[in-house]
Amino acid sequence: MAVKIRLARHGAKKRPYYRVVVADARARRDGRFIEQVGRYNPCVAPTYLELDLEKIDAWIKNGAQPTERVAVLIESARKGE
């Protein structure tokens, strides 16, 4: 089973917020997920980002692949931005 760490979109039209989830690669974008590991809201100033880096590292160690956008968010969270 291919596992991805990706964004699941929630919120209203033109006002999205995202959950960072661990999901099977075959699942729909907003469908079933295994675990929620963070939240991201780009519509507020400053941008809200909350990630559980310990859980993310454990999933990556077990073979989960982050998407490009999630990889950028993880790097910014590690830098403390």
Side-chain angles (χ1 to χ4, degrees):
M1 175 171 72
V3 177
K4 297 235 179 225
I5 303 172
R6 64 183 182 197
L7 297 174
R9 189 181 194 277
H10 294 277
K13 182 164 56 167
K14 308 231 181 198
R15 298 292 299 168
Y17 69 89
Y18 299 91
R19 293 180 183 168
V20 181
V21 298
V22 178
D24 185 351
R26 298 170 293 180
R28 298 180 310 170
R29 178 191 69 185
D30 301 334
R32 187 186 322 187
F33 59 88
I34 300 168
E35 183 177 11
Q36 179 179 332
V37 293
R39 290 186 238 155
Y40 171 58
N41 189 349
C43 294
V44 296
T47 300
Y48 176 76
L49 176 62
E50 174 193 335
L51 296 176
D52 189 345
L53 293 174
E54 292 176 7
K55 287 183 182 180
I56 290 172
D57 290 338
W59 276 106
I60 290 173
K61 182 180 174 187
N62 287 330
Q65 296 292 317
T67 60
E68 291 180 22
R69 183 62 191 157
V70 171
V72 169
L73 292 175
I74 291 170
E75 289 303 315
S76 67
R78 289 191 198 286
K79 291 179 184 176
E81 294 181 354

